[in-house]
Amino acid sequence: MRLTRQTNYAIRILMYCAANEGNLSRIGEIAHAYTVSELFLFKILQPLVENGFIETVRGRNGGVKLGKPAKDITLFDVVRVTEENFAMAECFENDAADCPLIDSCGLNAALRKALNAFFEVLAQFTIDDIVDKRDVRALLGIDILTPRLATAS
């Protein structure tokens, strides 16, 4: 199983906001920290906002912040809303009816079990679990930024 670039950066956005807890983060700052385009990050924001993981604050001093505590956002939650397809083989897809083994295939059963185990492990880890706030803040250059306190949107 390989996660898409969108999921990878969705998790990185959440990690950045968790490390910058209590302050607003600008997409430009996040893009700079990860050396990726702002446009790409803006596209990724939509499912994060729609699912309550990120809140946006408009205005001159606006930005983004976590929409719920980092301890309440699991990696599975993020993967579930950012990945479009979990098909590990053709038999997971719609055209599986063409296969004569569809109802009794051991491969299909094994892959489903593996995928479920993958999801179970992701559900055990939260954004808070994967962010060591001191190290992440320093590595992403957050400590050198002027803080913008997170205000109600």
Side-chain angles (χ1 to χ4, degrees), residues 1-68:
M1 177 87 200
R2 181 181 174 114
L3 298 177
T4 62
R5 194 165 176 242
Q6 176 174 331
T7 298
N8 181 2
Y9 281 96
I11 292 169
R12 290 183 191 207
I13 290 169
L14 294 167
M15 289 175 66
Y16 189 102
C17 290
N20 198 25
E21 187 177 24
N23 296 305
L24 292 174
S25 302
R26 290 191 173 139
I27 294 301
E29 295 165 352
I30 299 170
H32 178 74
Y34 292 124
T35 318
V36 67
S37 80
E38 289 182 42
L39 182 60
F40 178 64
L41 294 185
F42 275 115
K43 290 178 183 177
I44 294 170
L45 271 182
Q46 183 178 357
L48 298 178
V49 171
E50 287 173 356
N51 287 278
F53 302 142
I54 292 285
E55 287 181 12
T56 59
V57 176
R58 296 183 182 261
R60 184 171 163 234
N61 292 316
V64 296
K65 63 181 180 174
L66 291 180
K68 57 175 80 173

Side-chain angles (χ1 to χ4, degrees), residues 11-140:
I11 292 169
R12 290 183 191 207
I13 290 169
L14 294 167
M15 289 175 66
Y16 189 102
C17 290
N20 198 25
E21 187 177 24
N23 296 305
L24 292 174
S25 302
R26 290 191 173 139
I27 294 301
E29 295 165 352
I30 299 170
H32 178 74
Y34 292 124
T35 318
V36 67
S37 80
E38 289 182 42
L39 182 60
F40 178 64
L41 294 185
F42 275 115
K43 290 178 183 177
I44 294 170
L45 271 182
Q46 183 178 357
L48 298 178
V49 171
E50 287 173 356
N51 287 278
F53 302 142
I54 292 285
E55 287 181 12
T56 59
V57 176
R58 296 183 182 261
R60 184 171 163 234
N61 292 316
V64 296
K65 63 181 180 174
L66 291 180
K68 57 175 80 173
K71 68 180 181 55
D72 295 338
I73 305 170
T74 68
L75 295 180
F76 174 69
D77 293 334
V78 182
V79 167
R80 183 179 46 80
V81 302
T82 56
E83 289 292 321
E84 293 180 16
N85 186 347
F86 295 106
M88 295 178 71
E90 284 181 53
C91 54
F92 279 70
E93 297 175 0
N94 294 336
D95 59 357
D98 294 343
C99 179
L101 302 175
I102 190 68
D103 292 326
S104 61
C105 180
L107 174 61
N108 191 310
L111 291 177
R112 285 194 190 286
K113 188 172 182 176
L115 185 60
N116 287 334
F118 177 69
F119 291 153
E120 286 176 23
V121 170
L122 290 179
Q124 294 173 18
F125 292 90
T126 66
I127 297 298
D128 194 53
D129 293 333
I130 62 173
V131 174
D132 177 341
K133 290 182 177 66
R134 288 173 312 202
D135 288 346
V136 170
R137 288 183 63 81
L139 291 169
L140 295 176

